Amino acid sequence: MSDDWDEKTVVATSVTPAALVGNKRAQLVVLSGSNVGEMYNISGDLIIGRGRDADIRVQGDGISRQHAKLKIVADAVALEDLGSTNGSFVNGERVATRTLEDGDKIQLGSATILKFTYQDEIDQDFQRQMFESASRDALTQIYNKRFFVERLQSEFAFAQRHSAPLSLIIFDIDHFKKVNDTYGHLAGDYVLAELAKVITPSIRSEDVFARYGGEEFVIMSRSTDPPSAAVVSDRIRAAIDAYDFVYEGQKLPVTISVGLASMPHGSIKEPADLVAQADRALYEAKDAGRNRVVIAK
């Protein structure tokens, strides 16, 4: 199971010359799947799959550990299927090997679609900005609710099929309205942004940390069982409790209450159930006095 849920996708470097057309570089852009909008430069031969040794790691139903390979042949890029269980498709046609052309759509598994394209630096910057604006919260610079909801669907489906652990941490800032009313909304914005900065280094690269709405945040932690997720939850709570939030010379009182839910669990049948259980645990933490972690029963 550890091969399915490894650290962050790494695009390998290579001494093979990059595929270029004029001043444009060959790239893959994820159109659908678990990491929509991400871009990968093709600077050498690359393995695509969900395994530990894949250069471009993609998660999804029907994707093999080593699913396909991108090869630079002369000044072109070819896709080679690596004997995957479910095959590799280019523009809807199953292929063993295919030289790719600008705009080709590569489908791996049931839901992952990659676009092969040539882009110059301006194109790359635009694509990156579009991805960031669509997936990031403007104030905190962490993922937004839309991105979280999309990832929750795919992560939940995978965890359910493979009986893999998936934990969801929901927390919000205690008495946040009082912070806004007492110190002003700019102070509140400072707290939200600073909180994200404090927590981000504690989040694994494969986890999803997002602003869920207002002062509420979520962390979706793949392949993490309840005891491990509880440790993470309390570490985050303690870090916020210990941190000095100082705005314009004034120290602000900031703590968080945390709810945690995990699967596999008999009562969790769909993503909304996981969110609802974590949310109920959060409100139990509030009712119990705040600045604490409650694990859903």
Side-chain angles (χ1 to χ4, degrees):
M1 187 63 66
S2 61
D3 283 348
D4 297 332
W5 304 100
D6 199 7
E7 293 298 322
K8 188 177 181 181
T9 298
V10 176
V11 178
T13 58
S14 173
V15 296
T16 306
L20 299 172
V21 172
N23 65 339
K24 295 186 176 183
R25 181 181 299 273
Q27 287 195 322
L28 281 184
V29 179
V30 183
L31 298 183
S32 69
S34 62
N35 45 350
V36 174
E38 291 192 19
M39 299 181 299
Y40 301 93
N41 287 325
I42 303 173
S43 57
D45 293 354
L46 301 173
I47 301 295
I48 308 173
R50 61 178 172 82
R52 182 187 301 274
D53 54 353
D55 301 303
I56 299 177
R57 295 194 63 244
V58 288
Q59 304 291 345
D61 189 18
I63 296 179
S64 300
R65 287 180 172 83
Q66 288 196 355
H67 196 106
K69 182 179 183 179
L70 291 171
K71 302 187 300 181
I72 295 181
V73 182
D75 58 352
V77 178
L79 177 76
E80 176 188 349
D81 184 77
L82 296 177
S84 63
T85 302
N86 296 290
S88 301
F89 296 79
V90 176
N91 300 329
E93 178 184 350
R94 185 164 183 165
V95 300
T97 302
R98 169 73 68 85
T99 298
L100 298 174
E101 298 181 2
D102 193 6
D104 280 349
K105 306 296 193 306
I106 302 167
Q107 180 174 344
L108 308 177
S110 62
T112 299
I113 298 177
L114 312 169
K115 178 181 179 181
F116 175 77
T117 185
Y118 290 95
Q119 295 186 342
D120 59 22
E121 290 187 6
I122 295 176
D123 294 331
Q124 293 178 43
D125 288 343
F126 177 75
Q127 181 72 33
R128 189 175 297 108
Q129 290 171 13
M130 291 293 290
F131 173 66
E132 292 296 324
S133 63
S135 62
R136 296 283 178 178
D137 174 63
L139 176 62
T140 62
Q141 295 304 302
I142 61 175
Y143 290 119
N144 57 26
K145 182 177 181 179
R146 174 186 172 184
F147 181 88
F148 163 74
V149 170
E150 290 176 352
R151 282 291 297 272
L152 176 61
Q153 299 291 328
S154 60
E155 300 287 2
F156 185 93
F158 188 94
Q160 192 174 51
R161 283 193 305 273
H162 298 278
S163 298
L166 178 65
S167 292
L168 180 63
I169 301 166
I170 295 182
F171 62 92
D172 73 4
I173 300 170
D174 298 326
H175 303 298
F176 186 68
K177 184 178 184 301
K178 185 176 180 180
V179 172
N180 280 329
D181 292 345
T182 304
Y183 304 101
H185 287 278
L186 290 179
D189 287 349
Y190 158 79
V191 169
L192 293 169
E194 197 72 4
L195 179 144
K197 290 179 183 177
V198 173
I199 292 178
T200 295
S202 301
I203 306 303
R204 300 179 307 170
S205 58
E206 67 266 35
D207 294 339
V208 175
F209 178 30
R211 185 180 178 189
Y212 196 61
E215 70 272 24
E216 194 169 39
F217 297 80
V218 292
I219 299 171
M220 182 169 55
S221 191
R222 59 170 61 165
S223 195
T224 303
D225 58 23
S228 299
V231 171
V232 173
S233 300
D234 198 60
R235 183 169 68 237
I236 290 170
R237 181 208 58 79
I240 296 302
D241 190 28
Y243 188 79
D244 288 335
F245 290 83
V246 179
Y247 180 74
E248 293 187 345
Q250 178 69 47
K251 184 176 179 179
L252 310 180
V254 179
T255 60
I256 61 173
S257 296
V258 186
L260 166 65
S262 300
M263 59 179 294
H265 190 287
S267 66
I268 298 177
K269 305 297 184 182
E270 56 186 43
D273 298 333
L274 183 63
V275 174
Q277 282 207 13
D279 206 42
R280 282 195 293 270
L282 167 61
Y283 280 95
E284 287 183 32
K286 294 284 191 184
D287 292 341
R290 295 180 168 84
N291 191 20
R292 65 193 63 215
V293 177
V294 169
I295 302 172
K297 299 179 179 60

